[in-house]
Amino acid sequence: MRRQLIRWVVLLYPTSYRATRGDEILAGLLDAADDASRLRFLTHVRSVALHALAVRGRLATGGDRRETLRQGLVLAGVAVLGIKTGTEVGTLAWPWAFTVALLLTGLAILLVSRRWWQHVAGAVLMVVAAHEWPATGHVLPGVGEISLELLGLAAMLIAAGRGRSSPLRILAGISASWVLLAGFDPVGPTFMFSMEMGVASLGLLIGVGDARVAAATGFGIALYGIQQVARPDRWLTQFPGPLGLYAIVAACALALTFRRFQGEAPTRP
Amino acid sequence: MQHASFLVLSALAASGPAHGYGIVRIVEQLTGGRQGLALGTVYGVLDRLLSEGAVEVAFETVESGRLRRSYRVTRSGREALAGEVRRLEAHARLGRRVLGPSFREQV
C-alpha cells in the first residue's frame, strides 16, 4: 500500500524533473516508508506531493511557452479528472465546449506571469475560461463547476512564479477581472460564486507577505462588494456568507503552503 | 534565511554529505526531536540551495537498489549559515537586553 502510494506521488512530478530527481525522491520516500510511523509517513507523502505541484507551477511559469502550455493543460486535466469527475465517470464524454474551455485555460496560464499587458490579458482570459466551464455543465455534471478550482489553480501558478508582484499589476489584473465580470451575464450561481472566490483568492494568494498587494486586493474585493450591493438579485441571497469566508481562508492556507514549498514563506517545521 | 534552509544547512554542516531522508533524520537528531522537516520541504529547500550555490551534489551511490544522492555545503553555504547565526545571535542579545532580569528569572 505504501509503495503504491509512493509511485503515484512520484508521478505527480513533471517528466523533466522526474528524469533527473525522480529516483532520488523515490528512494527518500521508500526510506520514509521503512522508517517512519504511519502518520509521519503520510506527512512526508503529502509534503512531497505539494513539492511536486510546486515544481509543476514553477515550470509552468518559468519555462518556455510550449512547456508552459503543456504544464497548464496537465494541471487543468488533473483538476478536472481528479477533483470533479471522480464520482461521475459514467457521464464522462468529451464535448467541444470542454475542449474550448481547456484550451482557454491553457492559454490563460500561458499568458500570466509574462509582461504587464500579457498579465492583464491572462487575467481576462481566465475570466473567459471560467465563463466557458459552466457551459459544459449540462453534458458533464460537476465538470462545469470547475471554474472555482480553475481560478484557484491559476492563482497558485501566478503566486508560484511571480513572488512579490507589483501592486499596480495585481490591481490591473483584479480590475480587469471585475470589469469583465460586471460585463458578463451570469450563467449560473456557480459562475458568480466562482468569481467571488477567484477574484479574492487571486489577490490574496499573490498578496501573501506583501501588504501593498493585499491592500490592492482589498480594493478589488471592495469593488466586487459594490457590485454585490448594486445587483443583489444576482447572487447575494443564493450563498451563505461563511462559505465564501471559508473558501478565502482555505485559499490563503493553500497559498502559504504552496509558497513555503517555493521557499518564499516562513517554514514551520 | 528561511528556517527550513537554516536547518538543512546546519544538518549538512554538522554531519557532512547526506541525502534527502538522511537530512530529515539528522535534523531530528540535532534538535532532539523537537523539530522535524517533511521530506518534500527538504527537496524544495535543496532545489533552492542548489540554485543559489549554497549546496552541491557530493556523490551518488546505489544502496539496495535505491539511488542516494548526497549533498554537501559549499563555502558560500557556510558563509550564509555563519551570517544567519550572527544575525540570530544579535537578535538574541537584543532580546536578553530588552527582557533584562525577567528573562533570567524565566530561564
Side-chain angles (χ1 to χ4, degrees):
Chain A
M1 180 65 184
R2 285 187 175 195
R3 286 172 187 265
Q4 201 169 8
L5 186 59
I6 287 170
R7 286 199 186 88
W8 279 106
V9 170
V10 173
L11 283 176
L12 285 176
Y13 282 97
T15 312
S16 57
Y17 191 89
R18 207 163 58 233
T20 55
R21 302 285 300 277
D23 287 345
E24 175 191 357
I25 291 167
L26 185 67
L29 283 168
L30 287 170
D31 285 344
D34 293 343
D35 182 63
S37 67
R38 185 165 174 269
L39 188 62
R40 188 73 182 139
F41 170 69
L42 289 176
T43 302
H44 288 310
V45 168
R46 174 184 158 277
S47 72
V48 169
L50 286 169
H51 178 237
L53 294 178
V55 170
R56 276 197 183 277
R58 197 171 59 216
L59 279 180
T61 52
D64 62 27
R65 289 183 176 226
R66 281 182 63 185
E67 177 71 8
T68 300
L69 185 56
R70 202 171 68 82
Q71 293 296 335
L73 290 176
V74 167
L75 283 169
V78 167
V80 170
L81 298 174
I83 299 172
K84 282 295 173 187
T85 63
T87 57
E88 295 159 3
V89 175
T91 64
L92 190 62
W94 199 265
W96 68 269
F98 185 77
T99 309
V100 170
L102 203 60
L103 287 174
L104 281 171
T105 306
L107 194 56
I109 294 170
L110 177 74
L111 283 174
V112 296
S113 90
R114 301 288 170 184
R115 293 178 183 169
W116 187 91
W117 65 270
Q118 288 175 322
H119 193 69
V120 175
V124 169
L125 262 176
M126 260 187 262
V127 176
V128 176
H131 181 257
E132 289 295 323
W133 281 105
T136 68
H138 66 288
V139 185
L140 297 173
V143 176
E145 298 167 11
I146 194 63
S147 45
L148 182 72
E149 287 81 5
L150 167 67
L151 288 170
L153 190 67
M156 283 175 70
L157 286 173
I158 297 170
R162 299 201 64 79
R164 293 187 177 190
S165 303
S166 146
L168 181 64
R169 182 158 38 204
I170 304 305
L171 183 60
I174 292 169
S175 300
S177 303
W178 179 78
V179 167
L180 272 169
L181 174 67
F184 274 120
D185 282 328
V187 292
T190 299
F191 170 64
M192 297 308 294
F193 177 68
S194 298
M195 289 314 304
E196 177 198 15
M197 158 74 180
V199 170
S201 64
L202 180 69
L204 287 171
L205 281 163
I206 303 168
V208 171
D210 190 326
R212 293 172 306 169
V213 178
T217 304
F219 178 68
I221 295 172
L223 284 178
Y224 197 88
I226 291 168
Q227 189 209 21
Q228 174 185 340
V229 174
R231 299 290 303 273
D233 55 307
R234 281 189 167 182
W235 60 278
L236 183 63
T237 57
Q238 300 180 37
F239 298 100
L243 192 61
L245 185 64
Y246 293 148
I248 291 171
V249 170
C252 286
L254 256 180
L256 280 170
T257 306
F258 194 72
R259 290 169 69 104
R260 193 184 80 195
F261 280 88
Q262 293 281 312
E264 293 168 4
T267 301
R268 207 171 281 172
Chain B
M1 180 183 287
Q2 301 294 330
H3 187 58
S5 302
F6 178 80
L7 290 176
V8 168
L9 284 175
S10 298
L12 293 175
S15 71
H19 54 79
Y21 193 70
I23 294 171
V24 171
R25 297 300 309 272
I26 294 164
V27 167
E28 286 174 357
Q29 288 165 8
L30 282 177
T31 62
R34 288 190 304 277
Q35 294 188 24
L37 287 176
L39 196 54
T41 305
V42 170
Y43 287 125
V45 168
L46 285 173
D47 281 347
R48 195 175 65 254
L49 293 177
L50 276 169
S51 70
E52 292 170 356
V55 301
E56 61 187 4
V57 176
F59 52 82
E60 292 179 0
T61 56
V62 178
E63 296 171 22
S64 309
R66 295 177 191 176
L67 175 71
R68 309 281 188 195
R69 181 173 288 140
S70 294
Y71 300 87
R72 67 176 159 228
V73 191
T74 62
R75 177 187 288 252
S76 73
R78 282 185 180 278
E79 287 169 0
L81 183 60
E84 181 66 7
V85 170
R86 281 193 290 274
R87 192 182 70 81
L88 291 173
E89 281 176 345
H91 281 212
R93 277 197 301 275
L94 175 65
R96 283 194 203 97
R97 196 168 68 236
V98 169
L99 290 172
S102 66
F103 172 73
R104 281 190 287 277
E105 286 166 14
Q106 286 168 14
V107 170

